[in-house]
Amino acid sequence: MEFEPEDDFEQELRQAMERRPAPPRLKRTVMDQRNRRQTQRLWSRTILWQRLAAALLLVAALAGGVTWRNYHNYETRREGEAARQQVLTALRITGHALNQVNAQLTTDRRRADTE
């Protein structure tokens, strides 16, 4: 089988497909790029973890603040309720004492009127 003479396209294709030695610094360039990408990935992961840690710390601080505020409000309400109970007890005692004094005064007036 006989081949026809090559046209320009086939010649260019044949030249493009010929085996040639790699440029002398190709391996170094490829390895440097690979190392740079690995460093960037590692740096990106580190930044990601730092951001995640900062977010968790912020959430924990906010949760602690809300918890403290709720506890503080609870304590304030509890103290207020205790003070309210003391005032009500004092008013009951005072009302009872006033009723006794009023009863004693009524008794004394009746005695004074009968005498």
Side-chain angles (χ1 to χ4, degrees), residues 60-88:
L62 289 173
V66 168
T67 302
W68 178 83
R69 181 175 170 221
N70 288 342
Y71 177 76
H72 181 67
N73 287 343
Y74 171 77
E75 285 295 312
T76 303
R77 272 187 265 125
R78 192 175 65 76
E79 290 169 0
E81 184 60 31
R84 180 177 173 271
Q85 290 299 325
Q86 289 175 354
V87 167
L88 290 176

mmCIF file of all heavy atoms in Angstrom, residues 60-88:
data_model
loop_
_atom_site.group_PDB
_atom_site.id
_atom_site.type_symbol
_atom_site.label_atom_id
_atom_site.label_comp_id
_atom_site.label_asym_id
_atom_site.label_seq_id
_atom_site.Cartn_x
_atom_site.Cartn_y
_atom_site.Cartn_z
ATOM 1 N N ALA A 60 -20.382 30.356 71.815
ATOM 2 C CA ALA A 60 -20.283 30.004 73.233
ATOM 3 C C ALA A 60 -20.377 31.255 74.115
ATOM 4 O O ALA A 60 -21.038 31.239 75.154
ATOM 5 C CB ALA A 60 -18.972 29.268 73.501
ATOM 6 N N ALA A 61 -19.727 32.333 73.695
ATOM 7 C CA ALA A 61 -19.786 33.577 74.473
ATOM 8 C C ALA A 61 -21.210 34.133 74.490
ATOM 9 O O ALA A 61 -21.702 34.575 75.544
ATOM 10 C CB ALA A 61 -18.815 34.607 73.877
ATOM 11 N N LEU A 62 -21.866 34.103 73.347
ATOM 12 C CA LEU A 62 -23.244 34.586 73.299
ATOM 13 C C LEU A 62 -24.165 33.715 74.152
ATOM 14 O O LEU A 62 -25.017 34.229 74.879
ATOM 15 C CB LEU A 62 -23.744 34.632 71.852
ATOM 16 C CG LEU A 62 -23.138 35.716 70.970
ATOM 17 C CD1 LEU A 62 -23.581 35.542 69.523
ATOM 18 C CD2 LEU A 62 -23.522 37.096 71.473
ATOM 19 N N ALA A 63 -23.994 32.411 74.066
ATOM 20 C CA ALA A 63 -24.812 31.504 74.872
ATOM 21 C C ALA A 63 -24.552 31.732 76.359
ATOM 22 O O ALA A 63 -25.486 31.747 77.167
ATOM 23 C CB ALA A 63 -24.520 30.055 74.489
ATOM 24 N N GLY A 64 -23.293 31.926 76.716
ATOM 25 C CA GLY A 64 -22.972 32.221 78.117
ATOM 26 C C GLY A 64 -23.597 33.527 78.574
ATOM 27 O O GLY A 64 -24.118 33.623 79.692
ATOM 28 N N GLY A 65 -23.559 34.543 77.711
ATOM 29 C CA GLY A 65 -24.165 35.826 78.065
ATOM 30 C C GLY A 65 -25.664 35.715 78.243
ATOM 31 O O GLY A 65 -26.238 36.264 79.196
ATOM 32 N N VAL A 66 -26.311 34.982 77.345
ATOM 33 C CA VAL A 66 -27.759 34.796 77.466
ATOM 34 C C VAL A 66 -28.089 34.007 78.726
ATOM 35 O O VAL A 66 -29.026 34.340 79.462
ATOM 36 C CB VAL A 66 -28.312 34.094 76.200
ATOM 37 C CG1 VAL A 66 -29.737 33.629 76.398
ATOM 38 C CG2 VAL A 66 -28.230 35.034 75.008
ATOM 39 N N THR A 67 -27.320 32.974 79.000
ATOM 40 C CA THR A 67 -27.547 32.173 80.205
ATOM 41 C C THR A 67 -27.355 33.017 81.456
ATOM 42 O O THR A 67 -28.171 32.952 82.384
ATOM 43 C CB THR A 67 -26.586 30.964 80.223
ATOM 44 O OG1 THR A 67 -26.801 30.187 79.055
ATOM 45 C CG2 THR A 67 -26.806 30.112 81.451
ATOM 46 N N TRP A 68 -26.295 33.799 81.498
ATOM 47 C CA TRP A 68 -26.054 34.654 82.660
ATOM 48 C C TRP A 68 -27.197 35.650 82.833
ATOM 49 O O TRP A 68 -27.665 35.880 83.938
ATOM 50 C CB TRP A 68 -24.736 35.409 82.501
ATOM 51 C CG TRP A 68 -24.478 36.330 83.651
ATOM 52 C CD1 TRP A 68 -23.942 36.009 84.860
ATOM 53 C CD2 TRP A 68 -24.776 37.722 83.709
ATOM 54 N NE1 TRP A 68 -23.887 37.108 85.661
ATOM 55 C CE2 TRP A 68 -24.400 38.189 84.982
ATOM 56 C CE3 TRP A 68 -25.342 38.623 82.811
ATOM 57 C CZ2 TRP A 68 -24.561 39.499 85.369
ATOM 58 C CZ3 TRP A 68 -25.497 39.935 83.208
ATOM 59 C CH2 TRP A 68 -25.116 40.360 84.467
ATOM 60 N N ARG A 69 -27.629 36.232 81.704
ATOM 61 C CA ARG A 69 -28.723 37.218 81.777
ATOM 62 C C ARG A 69 -29.995 36.561 82.305
ATOM 63 O O ARG A 69 -30.683 37.122 83.159
ATOM 64 C CB ARG A 69 -28.959 37.805 80.395
ATOM 65 C CG ARG A 69 -30.042 38.840 80.375
ATOM 66 C CD ARG A 69 -30.152 39.466 79.002
ATOM 67 N NE ARG A 69 -31.334 40.289 78.942
ATOM 68 C CZ ARG A 69 -32.141 40.338 77.914
ATOM 69 N NH1 ARG A 69 -31.880 39.630 76.849
ATOM 70 N NH2 ARG A 69 -33.189 41.099 77.922
ATOM 71 N N ASN A 70 -30.319 35.366 81.786
ATOM 72 C CA ASN A 70 -31.507 34.663 82.259
ATOM 73 C C ASN A 70 -31.389 34.314 83.733
ATOM 74 O O ASN A 70 -32.355 34.457 84.494
ATOM 75 C CB ASN A 70 -31.756 33.400 81.436
ATOM 76 C CG ASN A 70 -32.260 33.725 80.049
ATOM 77 O OD1 ASN A 70 -32.742 34.826 79.792
ATOM 78 N ND2 ASN A 70 -32.141 32.776 79.138
ATOM 79 N N TYR A 71 -30.218 33.852 84.163
ATOM 80 C CA TYR A 71 -30.009 33.531 85.574
ATOM 81 C C TYR A 71 -30.138 34.782 86.427
ATOM 82 O O TYR A 71 -30.772 34.764 87.468
ATOM 83 C CB TYR A 71 -28.639 32.880 85.780
ATOM 84 C CG TYR A 71 -28.351 32.588 87.228
ATOM 85 C CD1 TYR A 71 -28.955 31.520 87.863
ATOM 86 C CD2 TYR A 71 -27.496 33.397 87.973
ATOM 87 C CE1 TYR A 71 -28.720 31.243 89.194
ATOM 88 C CE2 TYR A 71 -27.248 33.135 89.301
ATOM 89 C CZ TYR A 71 -27.864 32.060 89.909
ATOM 90 O OH TYR A 71 -27.630 31.809 91.221
ATOM 91 N N HIS A 72 -29.526 35.865 85.946
ATOM 92 C CA HIS A 72 -29.604 37.129 86.688
ATOM 93 C C HIS A 72 -31.059 37.586 86.798
ATOM 94 O O HIS A 72 -31.502 38.008 87.872
ATOM 95 C CB HIS A 72 -28.747 38.196 85.997
ATOM 96 C CG HIS A 72 -28.752 39.513 86.687
ATOM 97 N ND1 HIS A 72 -28.182 39.695 87.922
ATOM 98 C CD2 HIS A 72 -29.271 40.715 86.326
ATOM 99 C CE1 HIS A 72 -28.361 40.955 88.295
ATOM 100 N NE2 HIS A 72 -29.017 41.592 87.340
ATOM 101 N N ASN A 73 -31.815 37.508 85.701
ATOM 102 C CA ASN A 73 -33.235 37.874 85.740
ATOM 103 C C ASN A 73 -34.003 36.962 86.677
ATOM 104 O O ASN A 73 -34.876 37.413 87.410
ATOM 105 C CB ASN A 73 -33.847 37.812 84.334
ATOM 106 C CG ASN A 73 -33.389 38.961 83.460
ATOM 107 O OD1 ASN A 73 -32.881 39.962 83.954
ATOM 108 N ND2 ASN A 73 -33.559 38.806 82.161
ATOM 109 N N TYR A 74 -33.691 35.666 86.669
ATOM 110 C CA TYR A 74 -34.342 34.716 87.566
ATOM 111 C C TYR A 74 -34.056 35.080 89.016
ATOM 112 O O TYR A 74 -34.972 35.101 89.845
ATOM 113 C CB TYR A 74 -33.864 33.298 87.261
ATOM 114 C CG TYR A 74 -34.322 32.286 88.268
ATOM 115 C CD1 TYR A 74 -35.623 31.806 88.251
ATOM 116 C CD2 TYR A 74 -33.453 31.815 89.250
ATOM 117 C CE1 TYR A 74 -36.056 30.891 89.197
ATOM 118 C CE2 TYR A 74 -33.874 30.897 90.193
ATOM 119 C CZ TYR A 74 -35.171 30.435 90.168
ATOM 120 O OH TYR A 74 -35.588 29.536 91.096
ATOM 121 N N GLU A 75 -32.785 35.348 89.306
ATOM 122 C CA GLU A 75 -32.420 35.717 90.680
ATOM 123 C C GLU A 75 -33.126 37.008 91.100
ATOM 124 O O GLU A 75 -33.611 37.115 92.220
ATOM 125 C CB GLU A 75 -30.894 35.889 90.806
ATOM 126 C CG GLU A 75 -30.135 34.596 90.819
ATOM 127 C CD GLU A 75 -30.466 33.756 92.047
ATOM 128 O OE1 GLU A 75 -30.455 34.301 93.169
ATOM 129 O OE2 GLU A 75 -30.751 32.565 91.869
ATOM 130 N N THR A 76 -33.169 37.991 90.206
ATOM 131 C CA THR A 76 -33.836 39.259 90.520
ATOM 132 C C THR A 76 -35.316 39.022 90.780
ATOM 133 O O THR A 76 -35.884 39.568 91.737
ATOM 134 C CB THR A 76 -33.643 40.252 89.353
ATOM 135 O OG1 THR A 76 -32.248 40.425 89.128
ATOM 136 C CG2 THR A 76 -34.277 41.591 89.647
ATOM 137 N N ARG A 77 -35.956 38.214 89.933
ATOM 138 C CA ARG A 77 -37.377 37.906 90.138
ATOM 139 C C ARG A 77 -37.593 37.166 91.454
ATOM 140 O O ARG A 77 -38.548 37.430 92.184
ATOM 141 C CB ARG A 77 -37.906 37.066 88.977
ATOM 142 C CG ARG A 77 -38.410 37.905 87.830
ATOM 143 C CD ARG A 77 -39.078 37.047 86.762
ATOM 144 N NE ARG A 77 -38.065 36.763 85.763
ATOM 145 C CZ ARG A 77 -37.710 35.576 85.341
ATOM 146 N NH1 ARG A 77 -38.308 34.506 85.783
ATOM 147 N NH2 ARG A 77 -36.750 35.421 84.454
ATOM 148 N N ARG A 78 -36.690 36.210 91.745
ATOM 149 C CA ARG A 78 -36.815 35.440 92.989
ATOM 150 C C ARG A 78 -36.673 36.355 94.205
ATOM 151 O O ARG A 78 -37.452 36.261 95.157
ATOM 152 C CB ARG A 78 -35.740 34.341 93.025
ATOM 153 C CG ARG A 78 -35.951 33.315 94.124
ATOM 154 C CD ARG A 78 -34.932 32.203 94.025
ATOM 155 N NE ARG A 78 -33.578 32.639 94.263
ATOM 156 C CZ ARG A 78 -33.055 32.929 95.462
ATOM 157 N NH1 ARG A 78 -33.783 32.819 96.536
ATOM 158 N NH2 ARG A 78 -31.802 33.298 95.572
ATOM 159 N N GLU A 79 -35.682 37.250 94.143
ATOM 160 C CA GLU A 79 -35.505 38.193 95.254
ATOM 161 C C GLU A 79 -36.700 39.131 95.361
ATOM 162 O O GLU A 79 -37.141 39.463 96.459
ATOM 163 C CB GLU A 79 -34.219 38.991 95.053
ATOM 164 C CG GLU A 79 -32.951 38.157 95.223
ATOM 165 C CD GLU A 79 -31.703 38.883 94.772
ATOM 166 O OE1 GLU A 79 -31.810 40.039 94.321
ATOM 167 O OE2 GLU A 79 -30.614 38.292 94.866
ATOM 168 N N GLY A 80 -37.235 39.570 94.220
ATOM 169 C CA GLY A 80 -38.420 40.434 94.231
ATOM 170 C C GLY A 80 -39.627 39.735 94.809
ATOM 171 O O GLY A 80 -40.407 40.330 95.571
ATOM 172 N N GLU A 81 -39.787 38.457 94.455
ATOM 173 C CA GLU A 81 -40.912 37.684 95.004
ATOM 174 C C GLU A 81 -40.754 37.495 96.508
ATOM 175 O O GLU A 81 -41.727 37.583 97.265
ATOM 176 C CB GLU A 81 -40.998 36.330 94.299
ATOM 177 C CG GLU A 81 -42.172 35.482 94.692
ATOM 178 C CD GLU A 81 -43.523 36.118 94.408
ATOM 179 O OE1 GLU A 81 -43.648 36.895 93.445
ATOM 180 O OE2 GLU A 81 -44.469 35.840 95.179
ATOM 181 N N ALA A 82 -39.529 37.251 96.961
ATOM 182 C CA ALA A 82 -39.286 37.110 98.404
ATOM 183 C C ALA A 82 -39.598 38.421 99.114
ATOM 184 O O ALA A 82 -40.229 38.428 100.193
ATOM 185 C CB ALA A 82 -37.832 36.688 98.654
ATOM 186 N N ALA A 83 -39.189 39.550 98.542
ATOM 187 C CA ALA A 83 -39.487 40.855 99.149
ATOM 188 C C ALA A 83 -41.001 41.094 99.169
ATOM 189 O O ALA A 83 -41.546 41.605 100.149
ATOM 190 C CB ALA A 83 -38.780 41.959 98.363
ATOM 191 N N ARG A 84 -41.695 40.707 98.098
ATOM 192 C CA ARG A 84 -43.151 40.870 98.038
ATOM 193 C C ARG A 84 -43.818 40.058 99.143
ATOM 194 O O ARG A 84 -44.752 40.535 99.818
ATOM 195 C CB ARG A 84 -43.639 40.409 96.669
ATOM 196 C CG ARG A 84 -45.126 40.517 96.473
ATOM 197 C CD ARG A 84 -45.491 40.087 95.026
ATOM 198 N NE ARG A 84 -46.904 40.028 94.853
ATOM 199 C CZ ARG A 84 -47.660 38.961 95.085
ATOM 200 N NH1 ARG A 84 -47.088 37.837 95.501
ATOM 201 N NH2 ARG A 84 -48.950 38.993 94.902
ATOM 202 N N GLN A 85 -43.354 38.827 99.337
ATOM 203 C CA GLN A 85 -43.915 37.979 100.394
ATOM 204 C C GLN A 85 -43.677 38.597 101.767
ATOM 205 O O GLN A 85 -44.559 38.566 102.638
ATOM 206 C CB GLN A 85 -43.310 36.565 100.328
ATOM 207 C CG GLN A 85 -43.756 35.756 99.127
ATOM 208 C CD GLN A 85 -45.255 35.538 99.102
ATOM 209 O OE1 GLN A 85 -45.910 35.380 100.135
ATOM 210 N NE2 GLN A 85 -45.818 35.562 97.906
ATOM 211 N N GLN A 86 -42.510 39.185 101.970
ATOM 212 C CA GLN A 86 -42.216 39.831 103.247
ATOM 213 C C GLN A 86 -43.137 41.032 103.474
ATOM 214 O O GLN A 86 -43.627 41.242 104.593
ATOM 215 C CB GLN A 86 -40.751 40.265 103.302
ATOM 216 C CG GLN A 86 -39.781 39.103 103.417
ATOM 217 C CD GLN A 86 -38.330 39.561 103.357
ATOM 218 O OE1 GLN A 86 -38.038 40.726 103.113
ATOM 219 N NE2 GLN A 86 -37.407 38.613 103.548
ATOM 220 N N VAL A 87 -43.369 41.818 102.434
ATOM 221 C CA VAL A 87 -44.261 42.972 102.552
ATOM 222 C C VAL A 87 -45.681 42.514 102.868
ATOM 223 O O VAL A 87 -46.356 43.084 103.739
ATOM 224 C CB VAL A 87 -44.225 43.830 101.268
ATOM 225 C CG1 VAL A 87 -45.342 44.837 101.236
ATOM 226 C CG2 VAL A 87 -42.873 44.524 101.136
ATOM 227 N N LEU A 88 -46.147 41.471 102.172
ATOM 228 C CA LEU A 88 -47.501 40.956 102.438
ATOM 229 C C LEU A 88 -47.614 40.431 103.870
ATOM 230 O O LEU A 88 -48.631 40.657 104.544
ATOM 231 C CB LEU A 88 -47.857 39.857 101.436
ATOM 232 C CG LEU A 88 -48.085 40.325 99.997
ATOM 233 C CD1 LEU A 88 -48.325 39.129 99.079
ATOM 234 C CD2 LEU A 88 -49.255 41.291 99.913
#
